[in-house]
Amino acid sequence: MASKRQTNFELLRIVAMLMIITLHYIVKGFAVTNDADRILMFYAMRLIEAFCIVAVNCYVLISGYFLVESEWKAGRIISLLAQILFYSLLIPVAMICIGMLSWSDLGTYDWIGFILPIETEHYWFATSYVIMYIFAPVLAAGARSMNKKTLQKVILALLLFLSVGKSVFPVYLETDKYGYNYGWFLALFLVAAYLRLYCPEWLKNRGNAISIYISSSLCIFALSLIADVLGKKIDAFSYYWEMPYTYNHVLCLIGSIGLFCAFKNIKISEGKAAGIIRRLAPYTFGVYLLHEHILVRYKWPAWLNVESVRGTWQVLPHMVGCVVIIYLLGTLVDFIRAYFFVRVRKVFTKFQI
């Protein structure tokens, strides 16, 4: 049962990464246009965004779900930092070596960002995740020591401050970072801990969980559509055009919980498919680090010629192909990186360095 459950979550990692690449294709590839003659395609892409926006939250929920009951390891932080530095430093060096950049194209601040990717938020997700992992033993101990009602109150207070308020009131709040910060990750950790310790019975039903995910995604899309219409008449409603597509919006949170629990409740039989899933999943973070490097994140959509299908129905098969290419390429690169790390670790162990 443990291996099957792990396979479920490993599959969620893969699906979530495919969703993240899809979001980056749409947003950073400028794959949509709201020209009058292409408006249907525009809304189709917005609908896809609504179903994919939950992906980042799901990654954090997976971590919180397991970390609340597992042993905290300082070595995990070192491993994460080594993996992040591998990409942040190697990519600019590789681009210079193959002639895509010259040394003069990069200034001192650029190299500071490559050397200190966590402190400079080169990868905002990595920064927030590392800080969350440092807090993990404190959060886990607190969640386990509190009774159910106390944990509910703590989570409710956090969500009221970080999610519910910004979701309801059409006011841009200074404290609202749209979920792009470690504060939101800490809240998600506690939500995941609650699901691990006190998951409601109705969420253990796969059908209920899937319905919650689909309904929340459709509500995100519908709210955005309504805001588009009403915002032209009442300025305050324009606030709701983009806000539902932020990670800490209450609809995105609910959808994330729904998708997370749907995968939690899936049973995958042991076999070739399960083996492939467990083989691929460990490299998903490397896929993110490769295609979201600051020198690459806005370049790969151009390299894959997203502009040529912008606003047309051809964008759909093109998007699927590009997402698969980026995922497989990132997996291959991180496989090589992992193999290299294992060899280096063996050398250090052999000589007791």
Side-chain angles (χ1 to χ4, degrees), residues 3-312:
S3 63
K4 291 180 182 179
R5 183 180 62 195
Q6 182 64 34
T7 303
N8 299 344
F9 287 110
E10 295 297 89
L11 179 59
L12 178 56
R13 290 183 200 275
I14 294 172
V15 171
M17 182 51 62
L18 293 172
M19 287 180 169
I20 289 170
I21 301 171
T22 300
L23 288 172
H24 293 163
Y25 176 98
I26 295 172
V27 177
K28 295 177 180 178
F30 306 103
V32 297
T33 175
N34 58 356
D35 296 342
D37 60 337
R38 298 176 177 178
I39 198 68
L40 288 179
M41 191 65 249
F42 173 74
Y43 286 125
M45 300 303 280
R46 292 288 284 180
L47 181 60
I48 293 172
E49 280 188 80
F51 275 88
C52 292
I53 197 65
V54 301
V56 169
N57 287 352
C58 285
Y59 262 104
V60 183
L61 289 173
I62 292 172
S63 296
Y65 186 83
F66 285 104
L67 287 172
V68 72
E69 293 283 9
S70 63
E71 179 185 359
W72 186 86
K73 298 178 180 179
R76 175 59 178 157
I77 298 177
I78 297 174
S79 178
L80 277 171
L81 292 177
Q83 185 178 7
I84 295 165
L85 281 170
F86 175 87
Y87 285 94
S88 66
L89 286 171
L90 185 63
I91 288 177
V93 172
M95 293 178 74
I96 290 171
C97 290
I98 63 177
M100 296 181 68
L101 287 174
S102 66
W103 290 102
S104 61
D105 292 328
L106 301 173
T108 302
Y109 185 77
D110 294 314
W111 286 105
I112 291 174
F114 302 148
I115 297 170
L116 300 173
I118 300 301
E119 293 83 349
T120 59
E121 288 196 320
H122 182 131
Y123 299 103
W124 75 265
F125 177 89
T127 298
S128 298
Y129 186 86
V130 168
I131 295 175
M132 182 205 72
Y133 190 84
I134 294 172
F135 274 102
V138 178
L139 294 172
R144 292 195 303 268
S145 65
M146 284 185 279
N147 58 48
K148 182 179 179 180
K149 286 188 176 181
T150 302
L151 183 57
Q152 286 176 336
K153 291 176 182 178
V154 171
I155 292 173
L156 179 61
L158 282 172
L159 295 184
L160 285 173
F161 178 71
L162 296 173
S163 179
V164 178
K166 61 82 58 78
S167 301
V168 175
F169 301 108
V171 179
Y172 291 95
L173 305 172
E174 290 297 328
T175 55
D176 181 22
K177 307 303 179 184
Y178 308 143
Y180 291 91
N181 65 328
Y182 69 87
W184 178 240
F185 280 29
L186 300 184
L188 287 174
F189 185 104
L190 291 178
V191 171
Y194 183 85
L195 292 174
R196 180 68 180 265
L197 300 172
Y198 310 109
C199 185
E201 287 298 320
W202 56 273
L203 266 179
K204 295 179 181 179
N205 181 283
R206 186 173 60 196
N208 290 342
I210 293 174
S211 297
I212 290 170
Y213 164 61
I214 294 175
S215 300
S216 298
S217 299
L218 291 175
C219 285
I220 289 172
F221 178 65
L223 181 57
S224 183
L225 286 183
I226 294 170
D228 185 33
V229 175
L230 297 180
K232 296 173 182 177
K233 300 178 181 179
I234 306 174
D235 288 341
F237 281 100
S238 61
Y239 171 89
Y240 300 105
W241 166 245
E242 285 292 345
M243 200 53 67
Y245 289 86
T246 55
Y247 300 131
N248 62 338
H249 192 277
V250 68
L251 288 175
C252 183
L253 171 63
I254 293 172
S256 306
I257 294 172
L259 185 62
F260 174 82
C261 289
F263 275 86
K264 183 173 74 72
N265 300 329
I266 292 174
K267 294 181 179 179
I268 300 177
S269 300
E270 286 301 316
K272 189 173 293 186
I276 293 173
I277 290 169
R278 287 198 293 266
R279 183 64 173 158
L280 290 175
Y283 307 116
T284 52
F285 189 48
V287 175
Y288 165 77
L289 294 173
L290 177 66
H291 87 279
E292 263 298 280
H293 191 282
I294 196 168
L295 296 177
V296 176
R297 64 180 61 157
Y298 289 104
K299 295 287 184 62
W300 68 262
W303 295 337
L304 294 175
N305 206 19
V306 176
E307 180 67 24
S308 66
V309 294
R310 181 173 179 260
T312 71

